[in-house]
Amino acid sequence: MLGIVDPRDVPSFAAILQAAASGIWGGELLFVVLATMSTWAPGLLIAGIAGVVAGVSLAMLPRLEIATRPLLEFLRPIPSVAMIPVALPILGIGLELQLFMIAFASIWPVLFATKAGVESVDPRYIETGRMLGLSRLMQVVRIVLPSALPAVATGLRTASAIALVLAITVEMLTGQPGLGFYIENVRLNGLITEMWAAILVTGVTGYLVNTLFLSIERVALPWSPDNRDQ
Amino acid sequence: MQPIICVEGVTKAYNESAPILQDVTFKVEPGQFTAVVGPSGCGKTTLLRCIASLMQPDTGSVLHRGQQFKEPPSWLSIVFQDYNRSLFPWLTVRKNVAFGLRDKNGRAERVLAALRSVGLEHAADLYPWQLSGGMQQRCALARSIVVTPQLLLLDEPFASVDAQTRTDLQDMVMDICRRMSLSALLVTHDIDEAVFMADKVVVLSTRPARVVEEIEINLPRSRDQLSTKESPEFLHLRHRVYTLVRQQAHKSTIVASTDRT
């Protein structure tokens, strides 16, 4: 080899695969993944609900949008991890902090995709609703929301990946159980093969989450222009 | 009997610009098929939107049996030109047709009857985007008649389909109007279509649109794409309407060229 990397830091791929497999089947790794997913899921759910509500409201109420624009433009570029020192003394180390961080980071794609989806509803759809005698509320429920669903789904899928990153990062920084803490822990103990195995499992988890969301979209929104030919 | 629609002195302008409609006045009698023609861009669609109460005229009024109305009423249905923008892609054909029905009673039967009358009962569970353009427009037609309206507004409904489909749709619409005793108001730029389908053709001037002439079409009601269109009466009426529209179009070119100098 070139001697740049100490071979002890880079175990063989076969060894990594073996460690990952034995970690998942009968080892600690499965529980570690489940621990991460158990904060990821509620965190993403909060971001999803809040993002959809905020996105719809901002798109439907131009005055609210103008009033909150400076605040949103201020909050959005802040790296989520930079919020930890602010949130830590308020929320303390624990589930609340994890959920807050996950939701704070992953709300943005949901919010902006929903807002764009609602804003781009074809005015002819609304006109058709008016001709068929729908009230303003029913126009929103039966026309605006369904028509924005593909955009919301795309936002949620993007958010699901961000939520996973944040779940792991917060575990690393605060020592809560999960993939992040596990990776830190095995690294500090010199278990390099286990560390690589955990990183591999993290990547596979992210891939599976994305695949899951794509499959749900295909089944739930067969009419979406992205799914029509499949 | 009071007219289904009475358009009285309707004027409409978009934000301070020159008016689109100027003192437009005409009537649609019950059971009558009326066509509105005019040079392209003269404001036909704006007129239709005023009649549908999707927008309010600046002055003048639109009366239904002598009464004013503010919101799009239930006795009136509209078929737009761009069917792919007015059918909801997230609903199947059946649900698109059922969309406007508020009454739950007999809903399935009514939807099926409407689908049958446009020959789409076999496509009820498909999505609109899985259908051809002509089938989509038939779906839009089914949705507009399922509510059993008194007046059908047709905004260039055959303009986006091929020639063969267009004549089929024309026959279908005339047949439905006759069977349901519907009044219809067709906006079109196609003079042949207007004369072929209508009992009365209203010719609009170039912008600002006003009524140049109303021409009664005294052809027998059972009309046929071949024999009616070859009859001397049809050709004569077509010639008259064509001349009027061309005069208007010609005027607008003269106005445009004097504007430039």
Side-chain angles (χ1 to χ4, degrees), chain A residues 122-125 127-134 142-143 146-147 222-223 228, chain B residues 49 53-54 72 76 78 80 82 85-90 99 102 127 129 143:
Chain A
D122 195 321
R124 179 54 55 79
Y125 290 160
E127 224 161 54
T128 304
R130 279 183 65 194
M131 287 307 303
L132 295 169
L134 261 61
R142 294 184 64 190
I143 298 174
S147 141
W223 58 273
R228 281 181 194 181
Chain B
R49 294 165 62 85
S53 193
L54 284 168
L76 182 156
I78 191 162
F80 295 107
D82 35 8
R85 286 177 57 206
S86 67
L87 292 172
F88 302 119
W90 57 91
F99 192 88
R102 271 169 277 189
Y127 287 95
W129 41 270
R143 184 178 61 190

